[in-house]
Amino acid sequence: MNGKMVRFKCFSEIELKSIFLISCLLFLVLILTSCSAPQKTGSEESDLIVVGFSQVGSESDWREANTVSMVEAFSVENGYRLIFDDAQQKQEKQITAIRNFINQEVDYIVLAPITMEGWDTVLTEAKAAGIPVIIVDRMVDTNDPDLFTCWVGSDTRREGDIAVKWMEENLAGPLRIVHLQGNIGSSAQAGRTDGLEAGLKENKDWTLVFQAPGDFVQAKGQELMEEVLSEGIDFNVIYAENDNMAYGAIDALKEHGIVPGKDVKIISFDAAHDALNLVLSGELTLDVECNPLHGPRVRSLIEQLERGETPEKFTYVDEVLFDASNLTEEIIAQRGY
Ligand code: AHR
C-alpha cells in the first residue's frame, strides 16, 4: 500500500433507484433503435426519383398484376418514390391526378390511359412544366406526338388479327359470334374489335349476332351473356376482349347447362394464370397474351432518360397465343401473372 486512499461515494437509496431507472430507459432506447428499420435521412429521401403513376383502375386480373408490377419496380429500394393514383375507370380522375403530379413537381409522370382521346390539354400542361410523360399499356391519340416522351405496351390490333387468323384456321364455319367488348375508346378495345371486324368482312360465313361493351369487367361479361341467353340468340362462338369477361360468360353458360369450350368456342385475351388453366381444361378455346408486367419496362425507360439517352418512342411487347396444342402445366407454372 502506498498510502493512497481509495474513496467510494455512498449513494442514497433514491439516487440508486434513479440510476437504475435511467439505465433501463437507455437500454430500451438502444434496443428499439437497433430493431427498427433504417430510416431514410433527409438527403437520402431527396435522392429518390419521384414518379406519379395514374392507373386506370382495378377492373381486371390483368390490371391487378400490372399494378403489382409497377409498385414493385418503383420501390424505395430501387431508388424511387411512387405516387400511385387509382382513377377508378374515370378519365376525369386521371386528368386530376396528372394535374396533382404537376403541382407536386414529380420527376416523371406515367399514364395508363383509359381511352385514346382527350389528353392534349393536360399533356400540354405537363410539357409546359417540363415533366416527361411515359404512356404505358394502352395508347393515346394526341395532335402532337411530342406531348409524351415514349410509350410501352401491347399491339392490340395485332392481338385481334392473330386471334382471327387462328379462328380461320381452327374453327369450322358457319360462325355465329357473340362479341363482348372492352371500354369503348380504349386502344385495347379498338385493336381487338378492329381485328374481329376485319375478319367478319373476310369470312362470309361469319355472322356477328351480338356486340356490346362489358368494360373488361367480369360481372358485366356475365350480365351480357345472360342477356344473350335470355333473348334466345343462336351463337357458337364468344369473342371476349379479356379474360375477366370470358370468366363471366363461362359462369352464365354453365348456369344454363351449356358446356363452355364444347358447345361454344371461347376466344379471350390476356392469358392470365387462371385463364390458362381453363385453356388446359378445355373451357377456354384460345387465349391471346397481353402482358401486364410493365413495371421493369417503364423503369428501364426512365433509367435511359436519367442517363441522358433517348429511348425508343414506341416499344411493343412480344406476345404469343395459347391453345390446347401448345400449352402445358410447366408453361403456366413459370408465368409471372
Ligand atoms: O389494356 C389492357 C387491358 O385492360 C386488358 O386486356 C384488360 O384485362 C385490362 O383491363
Side-chain angles (χ1 to χ4, degrees), residues 59-60 62-63 137-138 188 192 216 241-244 269-270 290:
E59 74 281 5
S60 63
W62 187 103
R63 191 63 57 195
D137 164 28
R138 302 177 186 171
R192 295 166 193 170
F216 296 118
E241 288 184 356
N242 84 337
D243 284 342
N244 285 82
F269 296 83
D270 286 354
C290 176

Side-chain angles (χ1 to χ4, degrees), residues 15-70:
E15 281 174 314
L16 278 172
K17 273 188 183 161
S18 312
I19 289 168
F20 177 69
L21 212 66
I22 290 168
S23 310
C24 285
L25 276 173
L26 282 173
F27 184 65
L28 201 68
V29 168
L30 200 72
I31 295 282
L32 284 176
T33 50
S34 64
C35 288
S36 64
Q39 297 295 306
K40 285 264 157 203
T41 64
S43 64
E44 281 174 310
E45 171 73 30
S46 68
D47 287 345
L48 297 176
I49 298 170
V50 182
V51 173
F53 174 42
S54 169
Q55 175 62 292
V56 168
S58 52
E59 74 281 5
S60 63
D61 294 355
W62 187 103
R63 191 63 57 195
E64 304 281 345
N66 177 247
T67 294
V68 170
S69 173
M70 294 293 284

Side-chain angles (χ1 to χ4, degrees), residues 157 160-161 164 168 191-204 206 239:
R157 175 60 202 262
D161 287 343
V164 162
E168 289 170 344
R192 295 166 193 170
T193 295
D194 290 350
L196 178 62
E197 287 180 346
L200 283 157
K201 277 197 194 115
E202 283 298 309
N203 295 276
K204 298 298 166 217
W206 291 14
Y239 182 98

Side-chain angles (χ1 to χ4, degrees), residues 145-158:
D146 287 343
L147 288 183
F148 61 96
T149 306
C150 51
W151 170 90
V152 59
S154 301
D155 184 343
T156 54
R157 175 60 202 262
R158 179 182 170 272

